[in-house]
mmCIF file of all heavy atoms in Angstrom:
data_model
loop_
_atom_site.group_PDB
_atom_site.id
_atom_site.type_symbol
_atom_site.label_atom_id
_atom_site.label_comp_id
_atom_site.label_asym_id
_atom_site.label_seq_id
_atom_site.Cartn_x
_atom_site.Cartn_y
_atom_site.Cartn_z
ATOM 1 N N SER A 1460 51.849 6.678 -65.506
ATOM 2 C CA SER A 1460 51.686 7.298 -66.845
ATOM 3 C C SER A 1460 52.705 6.701 -67.768
ATOM 4 O O SER A 1460 53.857 6.350 -67.393
ATOM 5 C CB SER A 1460 51.848 8.814 -66.725
ATOM 6 O OG SER A 1460 51.778 9.415 -68.021
ATOM 7 N N GLY A 1528 74.356 9.136 -57.552
ATOM 8 C CA GLY A 1528 75.611 8.418 -57.774
ATOM 9 C C GLY A 1528 75.624 6.988 -57.277
ATOM 10 O O GLY A 1528 76.594 6.226 -57.502
ATOM 11 N N GLU A 1566 57.696 -2.161 -52.779
ATOM 12 C CA GLU A 1566 56.730 -2.212 -53.870
ATOM 13 C C GLU A 1566 56.551 -3.669 -54.306
ATOM 14 O O GLU A 1566 57.458 -4.339 -54.683
ATOM 15 C CB GLU A 1566 57.201 -1.414 -55.067
ATOM 16 C CG GLU A 1566 57.086 0.106 -54.841
ATOM 17 C CD GLU A 1566 57.380 0.872 -56.144
ATOM 18 O OE1 GLU A 1566 58.541 0.960 -56.549
ATOM 19 O OE2 GLU A 1566 56.396 1.417 -56.674
ATOM 20 N N ASN A 1608 41.152 13.627 -47.716
ATOM 21 C CA ASN A 1608 40.294 14.605 -48.422
ATOM 22 C C ASN A 1608 41.170 15.320 -49.517
ATOM 23 O O ASN A 1608 40.632 15.617 -50.590
ATOM 24 C CB ASN A 1608 39.695 15.582 -47.490
ATOM 25 C CG ASN A 1608 40.687 16.284 -46.601
ATOM 26 O OD1 ASN A 1608 41.821 15.971 -46.616
ATOM 27 N ND2 ASN A 1608 40.210 17.340 -45.872
ATOM 28 N N VAL A 1708 30.000 2.379 -22.873
ATOM 29 C CA VAL A 1708 31.324 2.743 -23.350
ATOM 30 C C VAL A 1708 32.428 2.050 -22.582
ATOM 31 O O VAL A 1708 33.411 1.594 -23.168
ATOM 32 C CB VAL A 1708 31.447 4.309 -23.250
ATOM 33 C CG1 VAL A 1708 32.905 4.701 -23.465
ATOM 34 C CG2 VAL A 1708 30.567 5.041 -24.241
ATOM 35 N N ARG A 1845 -2.337 -21.052 -32.463
ATOM 36 C CA ARG A 1845 -3.570 -20.335 -32.047
ATOM 37 C C ARG A 1845 -3.756 -19.055 -32.852
ATOM 38 O O ARG A 1845 -4.839 -18.733 -33.275
ATOM 39 C CB ARG A 1845 -3.459 -19.977 -30.551
ATOM 40 C CG ARG A 1845 -4.742 -19.322 -29.982
ATOM 41 C CD ARG A 1845 -4.497 -19.105 -28.503
ATOM 42 N NE ARG A 1845 -4.182 -20.339 -27.779
ATOM 43 C CZ ARG A 1845 -3.695 -20.343 -26.572
ATOM 44 N NH1 ARG A 1845 -3.465 -19.173 -25.895
ATOM 45 N NH2 ARG A 1845 -3.449 -21.515 -25.982
ATOM 46 N N LEU A 1854 8.106 -16.918 -35.403
ATOM 47 C CA LEU A 1854 9.061 -17.721 -36.166
ATOM 48 C C LEU A 1854 9.973 -16.842 -37.034
ATOM 49 O O LEU A 1854 11.159 -17.124 -37.188
ATOM 50 C CB LEU A 1854 8.214 -18.635 -37.153
ATOM 51 C CG LEU A 1854 7.581 -19.857 -36.459
ATOM 52 C CD1 LEU A 1854 6.664 -20.575 -37.439
ATOM 53 C CD2 LEU A 1854 8.673 -20.804 -36.001
ATOM 54 N N ARG A 1899 65.874 -26.619 -72.170
ATOM 55 C CA ARG A 1899 64.661 -26.927 -71.356
ATOM 56 C C ARG A 1899 64.783 -28.216 -70.625
ATOM 57 O O ARG A 1899 64.457 -28.333 -69.450
ATOM 58 C CB ARG A 1899 63.429 -26.853 -72.205
ATOM 59 C CG ARG A 1899 63.388 -27.876 -73.338
ATOM 60 C CD ARG A 1899 62.015 -27.847 -74.027
ATOM 61 N NE ARG A 1899 61.937 -28.910 -75.077
ATOM 62 C CZ ARG A 1899 60.830 -29.212 -75.695
ATOM 63 N NH1 ARG A 1899 59.673 -28.583 -75.405
ATOM 64 N NH2 ARG A 1899 60.816 -30.180 -76.598
ATOM 65 N N MET A 1993 36.095 -17.197 -85.018
ATOM 66 C CA MET A 1993 37.451 -17.392 -85.639
ATOM 67 C C MET A 1993 38.268 -16.151 -85.333
ATOM 68 O O MET A 1993 37.975 -15.051 -85.801
ATOM 69 C CB MET A 1993 37.277 -17.581 -87.142
ATOM 70 C CG MET A 1993 38.593 -17.994 -87.822
ATOM 71 S SD MET A 1993 39.218 -19.569 -87.259
ATOM 72 C CE MET A 1993 37.962 -20.723 -87.967
ATOM 73 N N LYS A 2006 40.153 -21.285 -84.053
ATOM 74 C CA LYS A 2006 38.726 -21.292 -83.692
ATOM 75 C C LYS A 2006 38.559 -21.482 -82.216
ATOM 76 O O LYS A 2006 39.234 -22.312 -81.594
ATOM 77 C CB LYS A 2006 38.019 -22.425 -84.449
ATOM 78 C CG LYS A 2006 36.550 -22.479 -84.241
ATOM 79 C CD LYS A 2006 35.904 -23.625 -85.053
ATOM 80 C CE LYS A 2006 34.388 -23.657 -84.893
ATOM 81 N NZ LYS A 2006 33.767 -24.771 -85.667
ATOM 82 N N ALA A 2089 33.540 -11.841 -36.731
ATOM 83 C CA ALA A 2089 32.451 -12.766 -36.880
ATOM 84 C C ALA A 2089 31.995 -13.388 -35.629
ATOM 85 O O ALA A 2089 30.835 -13.603 -35.384
ATOM 86 C CB ALA A 2089 32.931 -13.884 -37.875
ATOM 87 N N MET A 2139 9.449 -25.023 -32.195
ATOM 88 C CA MET A 2139 9.748 -23.675 -32.686
ATOM 89 C C MET A 2139 11.243 -23.583 -33.040
ATOM 90 O O MET A 2139 11.644 -23.072 -34.086
ATOM 91 C CB MET A 2139 9.448 -22.653 -31.604
ATOM 92 C CG MET A 2139 7.948 -22.468 -31.337
ATOM 93 S SD MET A 2139 7.100 -21.447 -32.513
ATOM 94 C CE MET A 2139 7.655 -19.808 -32.006
ATOM 95 N N LEU A 2196 8.935 -21.387 -13.665
ATOM 96 C CA LEU A 2196 7.597 -21.486 -14.310
ATOM 97 C C LEU A 2196 6.676 -22.362 -13.479
ATOM 98 O O LEU A 2196 5.433 -22.166 -13.386
ATOM 99 C CB LEU A 2196 7.728 -22.016 -15.738
ATOM 100 C CG LEU A 2196 8.344 -21.060 -16.754
ATOM 101 C CD1 LEU A 2196 8.573 -21.777 -18.107
ATOM 102 C CD2 LEU A 2196 7.528 -19.799 -16.967
#
Side-chain angles (χ1 to χ4, degrees):
S1460 176
E1566 286 188 288
N1608 57 350
V1708 168
R1845 185 180 304 165
L1854 284 174
R1899 62 174 184 169
M1993 188 65 68
K2006 184 178 180 180
M2139 291 280 284
L2196 292 173

